[in-house]
Amino acid sequence: MKQTTNSILMIRPVAFRMNEQTAVNNYYQKVLDGLSPETVNAKAQQEFDTFVNKLRKVGVNVIVVEDTLEPNTPDSIFPNNWISFHENGDVALYPMFAENRRAERREDILDTLEDEGFKINQIVDYTSAEEDNVFLEGTGSLLLDRENGKAYCALSPRADEEVMIEFCEDFELTPVIFEAFQTVNGERKLIYHTNVMMCLGDSFVVICADSIDDKKERKMVLDSLRGDDKEIILITEEQVNNFAGNMLEVKGKNDKRFLVMSESAYKSLTKKQIAQLEAHVEIIHSSLDTIEACGGGSARCMMAEIFLPKE
């Protein structure tokens, strides 16, 4: 099993804005005062296009699908939460916390991928869990170590343990389950998505271990990573707030490895951390300020990795 891919699905926004339905437990979202929705969307589109160009320039195969105005899906720019693609040709569809995010699931996107020569065998659908008000938001909630057959998951209102275990049984992965916290107005609150505090590369992991308050759980997670020979690069909660955990390793031309992140994530890293990362990968960073502020997500959330076999 490969851990990284050369092919990425991205959704270009048409009506991006702050989603009031996700703001209840995504503490990274901010209201940008004085900007009209049109301005916010135009800025997001500009950030999106620049980002895509940087990826394509180094040989990443980016498949861009335009969002539609109807239904109203302000968070469609983050497709990694509702879908994941697997080497055996399976596609997983996930139960989403915010009702207006459920409309992001579009069949025509699968047609687009098939037109691009990808082979889809079956769809594994977990979305009925929404009826029971339990959720598992794709590779936002799940960090898949495809190579070592593990799935890391920080439980939260958007990552239910039972659905996670069902997913692991279906995809033959070992669950590594814990809780991760952030300080919000002096209180420790659950981090909504695992992929804001942790990024799993081929040979390294970026993780805010301090967010795992339970010492036993922290040790279990770090032991699991060390056991798979990952170099552990620790980040602080302050760096997590700048989306330094929300990165993704991808492959460019000739299978060259790149680590993709936002400019704010990059600027928050120390020289030592950058050197540690550059021993493994080349870094690509791009400004995503508007997307991060209104969406509360960053570079990783915008990319749905495609591992499907080719026809």
Side-chain angles (χ1 to χ4, degrees):
M1 287 290 209
K2 300 193 306 263
Q3 180 58 22
T4 48
T5 179
N6 169 254
S7 296
I8 300 288
L9 166 73
M10 293 180 68
I11 309 292
R12 189 171 188 271
V14 291
F16 176 78
R17 60 177 167 80
M18 175 161 167
N19 185 353
E20 59 293 335
Q21 292 186 16
T22 54
V24 291
N25 56 21
N26 177 344
Y27 307 110
Y28 300 99
Q29 285 174 251
K30 301 178 187 74
V31 176
L32 294 180
D33 289 329
L35 288 186
S36 70
E38 293 75 23
T39 308
V40 168
N41 185 63
K43 279 177 176 285
Q45 283 180 332
Q46 197 179 355
E47 289 172 1
F48 179 93
D49 293 341
T50 305
F51 185 37
V52 169
N53 288 339
K54 284 184 181 181
L55 292 171
R56 285 181 171 161
K57 208 168 159 185
V58 297
V60 181
N61 174 28
V62 186
I63 295 164
V64 174
V65 175
E66 291 276 340
D67 191 18
T68 51
L69 277 169
E70 291 296 321
N72 179 346
T73 48
D75 275 330
S76 61
I77 198 167
F78 303 131
N80 83 311
N81 298 132
W82 66 265
I83 195 163
S84 66
F85 306 101
H86 302 266
E87 265 183 63
N88 61 357
D90 286 357
V91 172
L93 297 179
Y94 296 94
M96 305 288 285
F97 169 80
E99 280 182 40
N100 64 6
R101 291 212 62 189
R102 297 170 194 174
E104 291 173 34
R105 299 189 288 251
R106 285 168 50 189
E107 294 238 339
D108 64 302
I109 289 175
L110 298 180
D111 299 336
T112 302
L113 293 181
E114 288 183 320
D115 292 344
E116 292 278 344
F118 291 102
K119 198 163 166 255
I120 294 171
N121 289 331
Q122 64 162 344
I123 292 174
V124 189
D125 190 341
Y126 300 99
T127 59
S128 64
E130 288 166 353
E131 293 156 28
D132 302 319
N133 265 335
V134 292
F135 314 104
L136 184 69
E137 296 195 329
T139 52
S141 302
L142 297 162
L143 248 71
L144 304 181
D145 186 340
R146 296 168 190 259
E147 215 175 355
N148 296 298
K150 293 177 184 175
Y152 291 83
C153 182
L155 298 178
S156 79
R158 305 202 201 178
D160 176 78
E161 187 163 3
E162 277 177 40
V163 188
M164 193 265 176
I165 286 168
E166 184 187 344
F167 169 86
C168 287
E169 283 170 359
D170 291 343
F171 285 89
E172 296 177 2
L173 297 164
T174 304
V176 182
I177 298 172
F178 55 98
E179 285 183 331
F181 296 85
Q182 64 189 122
T183 301
V184 183
N185 301 328
E187 272 180 81
R188 293 297 270 169
K189 301 248 176 138
L190 288 167
I191 288 179
Y192 80 112
H193 278 161
T194 316
N195 76 2
V196 294
M197 52 74 65
M198 182 175 175
C199 155
L200 206 55
D202 229 349
S203 51
F204 64 92
V205 61
V206 174
I207 183 169
C208 179
D210 288 348
S211 68
I212 307 174
D213 289 358
D214 184 296
K215 285 197 177 90
K216 273 196 188 125
E217 284 187 356
R218 188 186 317 153
K219 183 179 182 316
M220 176 221 27
V221 171
L222 293 173
D223 285 351
S224 171
L225 294 162
R226 279 196 196 101
D228 297 325
D229 289 333
K230 304 269 185 211
E231 182 187 353
I232 293 171
I233 298 166
L234 296 172
I235 54 172
T236 63
E237 187 168 328
E238 179 55 35
Q239 290 175 318
V240 168
N241 291 335
N242 285 293
F243 295 101
N246 199 249
M247 312 164 163
L248 181 65
E249 184 182 330
V250 297
K251 283 182 184 153
K253 222 185 272 102
N254 304 326
D255 278 351
K256 185 169 174 180
R257 292 162 57 194
F258 293 92
L259 185 63
V260 187
M261 65 187 75
S262 71
E263 198 175 295
S264 64
Y266 183 75
K267 283 181 175 163
S268 76
L269 297 174
T270 64
K271 283 197 173 99
K272 185 188 170 193
Q273 288 167 325
I274 290 170
Q276 283 176 295
L277 290 169
E278 285 179 339
H280 299 271
V281 286
E282 190 174 311
I283 293 173
I284 294 178
H285 57 90
S286 198
S287 168
L288 301 172
D289 293 353
T290 312
I291 292 167
E292 288 176 331
C294 296
S298 187
R300 165 67 189 106
C301 307
M302 293 166 66
M303 298 179 278
E305 303 155 277
I306 305 168
F307 285 92
L308 298 169
K310 283 281 205 172
E311 290 290 1

